[in-house]
Every structure is written in C-alpha cells, then in structure tokens.
Amino acid sequence: MPRRRDGEATRDKILTAAAEVFACRGYRGGTVAEIAAASGINGALISYYYGGKAELYRSAWDFAYQRAAGKYPVDGGLDDAAPAVKRLHGIIASAIARRSDPENRENEIMLNELSSPTGILDDVHARSFADLRRVLRKAVGDILGSGIAEEEQRLAVLSIFSMCIIPVKQIQKLEGNPAYVYQPEERIRHVYNFAMAGLLDILTGGVK
Amino acid sequence: MPRRRDGEATRDKILTAAAEVFACRGYRGGTVAEIAAASGINGALISYYYGGKAELYRSAWDFAYQRAAGKYPVDGGLDDAAPAVKRLHGIIASAIARRSDPENRENEIMLNELSSPTGILDDVHARSFADLRRVLRKAVGDILGSGIAEEEQRLAVLSIFSMCIIPVKQIQKLEGNPAYVYQPEERIRHVYNFAMAGLLDILTGGVK
DNA sequence: ATCTATTTTAAATAGTTGTTTAAACTTTGG
DNA sequence: CCAAAGTTTAAACAACTATTTAAAATAGAT
C-alpha cells in the first residue's frame, strides 16, 4: 500500500484535461503544455504518471470511452429477446443521446481519429463504431428478414448508422445560426420514424 | 510578363502534394518536409511560393474545393424550375459521387476541419457544407410544403444531409472487411429511396 | 518529531518544426 | 553569348516540442 495517494487526484485532473484538449485540438495539435495548463499541473507529471504523451492519449480515450459506454449502452439496454423494432429504437436513442452529451469527449476524439488516424488507438478505436454497426446490422436483419438482399441490408445499416453518428454540434458551429439547437428527444423520434419508413419501403418493394 | 514561367509547374506539384498530405494527416500533422518530399521539391520553395504553411493550406483547400465544386455541382446540375423530387435526386447523386471520388481531397480536409478547426479556413470552409444544406432545405421544403412544421423539416434535412456526407471510406477502413466496397450508384439509389420514404412518411402523418 | 516513500518543481536536453538567408543555378529575351 | 529576372539549393536559424534530470517539497506512518 502506498504511503501517499494524492497522486490519484492528479491523475484524474490530467485525464480530464487531456480528454478535452485532445478532443478539441487532436493528438498532434494538443500539446502537453496545454494539457498541463488546463489541469493546473506541471508538464513533467505527464511523463511521470503516464510515461508520455502517447500513453496519456490512450488513457484519455479509454477514460472517455468507458464512461460513455457505461452511460449509453450501444444496444440501448435491450437484449436480443426484445422485438427488433424496439431494439432499433433503443439503439438509435442511445447512440444519439450519447453523441448529444456535452460532457462526452469520446465522439470528438473518435472523429479526429477517423479523419487523421494516429495509429495509437488502432487496436481499439474501431470498437465504438463497430459495436454500433453490429447491433444495427442485427436489428435491421431481423426487421427486413432474409428475403432482402445482403447488399440492400448493408446500405440500410449504413444510412441509419450515418444518421446516428453525424456530429451535429460541430456542423451547427459552422452554420451562422447558433440560436437553434436540436433537441435530442425530437431527433431520436424523427430518426426512428425516418429509418422505419425507409425499411418499410424496402420491405414493400419500394415506391413504384 | 515574367522572363521565366517554370515556377508554375512547381506550384502545381506543391499544391497537389499538399492537398494529399493535409487530407491524410491534417494541418498540424502534415509537415512541410513531408509535402516537399511528396512533391520532390525543396522545402524552402513552400515559403518562396506560398509565403508559409498556412497560406499553402488555404491554397490547397481552394484548389481541391474548386475542382470538386466544378465536377460535382451542389445542385446536381438542375435549376429551380425542375421538379423538387428530381432536384432532390440530383443533389443526393452529386453529393455522394463527390464524396466517392478517390481523387477528391476536399472531403478529407473538411472532415479534419470539422473535428479540429485550424482557424485558417474559418471564413470559407463552412461553404461546402452550407451549400449542400441550403439546396437540400429548398428541395425538402418544396416536397413537404408549408403544412409541415419547421422543426420537422430541419430534422429531415439533417437526416438526408448526414446520409450524403458520411465518410464511407474512412469508416470502412476501420472495419475488418476491406473486400467489400459500396458502389456509388447503388448507394445513390438507396439513399434517394430511403429519403423519399422518410419524407412521404412525414407527409402522410407517420406510421400510426 | 522524524523518517521515507511519494509527489512536485524548475531547469536542462534533444529533437523537430517552419522559415530565412545567401549563394548557386537556369531560363529567356536581347 | 550576355545579362538579368526568376528559380532552386543547402545551410543556418529561432521557436517550439516532449521528455529527462536532479533537487525540493510534502504527506503520512512510526
């Protein structure tokens, strides 16, 4: 047992600041000096506690990911026994809520990794996206059934997936109108209806 | 008139390499040394021709943007006189084709700007996204009519928008299956049908 | 109160970055 | 062929980066 344990508080401060800085500036853009300033600690402590910037990045992502995954389960909290349409709703609701949470830095870090991968998270960062696609694939498959071509099912999953992961906040920042903000609940309802209409259209052979 | 004009070829080589490097590594991650190596020129020429890295970045984006906007017009090549559903199809087709073109670096640069803005393109980089949303807003508005609430129309535009701009290539790179690739034509057809089904669902009051 | 493991600090370090400099080289009009 | 405008190069430069080092400070058990 360690004689002192005030280092734990320091580790947490670093982790929180690092997640925020890396989310905003990316891995290469976020400096250890900036993280040190944001957390009010000496930069040397980053090497002391985390060995280096790369390992801190990895820890910060894991920190953000664990928190988000616990708060917003990718399956929406419904198991495989639930009806497929209920599952689909749960998945969409959880995904959108997860990406609407202003305290969740996981989204922004993932977006950075997507646009310019660092290689540091190569073994893990696909998880967040892959998990969502997997459960979506299952729910959509159960709704459409085996009568619909694999290709069409893939496309449907991709479309619903894209509505779930779009970074609304960042896109809205580009627009001139910051007054308007999307209400997550409204958007969940809309995306679910939109998706169900699309799936139903596929099932009934499309608009002729 | 300049006595020599072989500098123009050098400028082009730099611009092409810069667009590629910035697209893959982002502004902060892409070094002038890397751009110099990729274009086979001396790094000092970047300062000589473009004044510095920031101005080169701006030029590279403009280079990529102009090319993409010319090749894939945001309105799909149809003017306001065309029927709204035809326009919607044209917009979707052009947007997806634009983002499926492997030679087009504009997408990746925009994605980087979205996730960690540099401030260098603040006055222009919203254009690409904003243009797409504007024409989508018009087409969706004409299809739904004034009987549908503004909020609902916004949500529909956002959903269609998200299906158009999702970075398929990057996401697929994360997946374990690189064998499968989406055919742009198939995806255009699917997204159009999916979108139309969603809009129709809104028009008819939704699935009761 | 003292001792010691632990934590924090300031300074030094080595490497990388973008940029400047000054000289060498090349094209091209005369 | 000449000369000058334009182009390219290698080296030097200053600023910034992450990391290491060694000393100082601190908390907490004895």
Side-chain angles (χ1 to χ4, degrees):
Chain A
M1 66 209 80
R3 290 208 184 171
R4 289 176 65 174
R5 71 196 73 178
D6 41 337
E8 279 306 309
T10 308
R11 289 178 79 106
D12 275 4
K13 276 195 291 183
I14 295 175
L15 229 42
T16 307
E20 178 155 348
V21 169
F22 285 139
C24 296
R25 306 238 185 286
Y27 176 68
R28 300 172 228 248
T31 68
V32 303
E34 190 178 359
I35 294 168
S39 50
I41 57 102
N42 188 300
L45 289 177
I46 285 171
S47 294
Y48 177 69
Y49 282 117
Y50 292 96
K53 187 184 178 183
E55 191 54 38
L56 171 62
Y57 183 60
R58 180 179 263 275
S59 300
W61 181 82
D62 211 66
F63 175 72
Y65 174 79
Q66 297 296 345
R67 174 180 290 255
K71 209 167 170 188
Y72 310 99
V74 69
D75 61 4
L78 288 89
D79 60 23
D80 288 5
V85 291
K86 289 262 180 196
R87 273 183 286 140
L88 181 64
H89 186 275
I91 296 165
I92 291 171
S94 192
I96 289 180
R98 182 176 188 153
R99 282 156 186 86
S100 303
D101 185 341
E103 288 185 12
N104 181 15
R105 300 298 180 184
E106 177 216 8
N107 312 322
E108 291 144 280
I109 297 177
M110 287 232 41
L111 197 61
N112 275 301
E113 278 293 324
L114 196 66
S115 54
S116 47
T118 59
I120 297 170
L121 301 181
D122 267 1
D123 52 335
V124 292
H125 85 303
R127 208 167 41 188
S128 184
F129 281 154
D131 281 355
L132 177 55
R133 287 192 79 175
R134 201 191 56 245
V135 295
L136 270 180
R137 181 70 190 78
K138 181 74 162 52
V140 166
D142 289 350
I143 291 172
L144 291 182
S146 54
I148 303 297
E150 173 74 11
E151 165 84 3
E152 198 66 27
Q153 305 217 6
R154 275 177 183 276
L155 287 165
V157 169
L158 181 64
S159 290
I160 301 173
F161 177 77
S162 65
M163 294 190 282
C164 289
I165 67 155
I166 190 182
V168 176
K169 237 179 303 172
Q170 283 87 344
I171 285 171
Q172 228 164 21
K173 206 179 293 174
L174 297 183
E175 310 278 317
N177 183 10
Y180 184 81
V181 285
Y182 289 100
Q183 299 300 319
E185 294 77 17
E186 286 296 293
R187 207 158 84 75
I188 289 166
R189 176 194 53 76
H190 166 86
V191 168
Y192 172 71
N193 287 342
F194 215 79
M196 280 303 294
L199 293 178
L200 229 64
D201 180 64
I202 293 173
L203 263 181
T204 57
V207 184
K208 290 293 159 52
Chain B
M1 68 206 81
R3 289 210 186 172
R4 289 176 64 174
R5 71 197 70 178
D6 42 335
E8 278 306 310
T10 308
R11 289 178 80 106
D12 275 4
K13 278 195 291 184
I14 295 174
L15 228 42
T16 308
E20 178 155 348
V21 169
F22 285 139
C24 296
R25 308 238 183 286
Y27 176 69
R28 300 172 229 248
T31 67
V32 303
E34 190 178 359
I35 293 168
S39 50
I41 56 105
N42 189 299
L45 289 177
I46 286 172
S47 294
Y48 178 68
Y49 282 116
Y50 291 97
K53 186 184 180 183
E55 192 54 36
L56 171 63
Y57 183 60
R58 180 180 264 273
S59 300
W61 181 82
D62 211 66
F63 175 71
Y65 174 79
Q66 297 296 344
R67 172 180 290 255
K71 208 167 170 186
Y72 310 99
V74 70
D75 60 4
L78 289 89
D79 61 22
D80 287 5
V85 290
K86 289 262 180 197
R87 272 184 286 140
L88 180 65
H89 186 275
I91 295 164
I92 291 171
S94 192
I96 290 181
R98 183 176 188 154
R99 282 158 187 83
S100 303
D101 185 340
E103 287 186 14
N104 180 16
R105 301 298 180 184
E106 177 216 8
N107 313 322
E108 291 143 280
I109 297 178
M110 287 232 42
L111 196 61
N112 274 300
E113 278 294 324
L114 196 66
S115 53
S116 48
T118 60
I120 298 170
L121 301 182
D122 269 1
D123 51 336
V124 292
H125 85 303
R127 209 166 41 186
S128 184
F129 281 155
D131 281 356
L132 177 56
R133 287 191 80 175
R134 200 191 57 245
V135 295
L136 270 180
R137 182 68 189 81
K138 181 73 162 49
V140 166
D142 288 350
I143 291 173
L144 291 182
S146 55
I148 304 298
E150 173 74 11
E151 165 83 3
E152 198 65 27
Q153 305 217 7
R154 275 178 183 276
L155 287 166
V157 168
L158 182 63
S159 289
I160 301 174
F161 178 78
S162 66
M163 294 190 281
C164 289
I165 67 155
I166 190 184
V168 176
K169 237 179 304 174
Q170 282 86 344
I171 285 171
Q172 229 165 18
K173 205 179 293 174
L174 298 183
E175 309 280 317
N177 183 10
Y180 184 82
V181 285
Y182 289 100
Q183 298 302 318
E185 295 78 17
E186 285 297 292
R187 207 159 83 77
I188 289 165
R189 176 193 54 76
H190 167 85
V191 169
Y192 172 70
N193 286 343
F194 215 80
M196 281 302 295
L199 293 178
L200 229 64
D201 181 65
I202 293 173
L203 262 181
T204 57
V207 185
K208 290 291 160 50

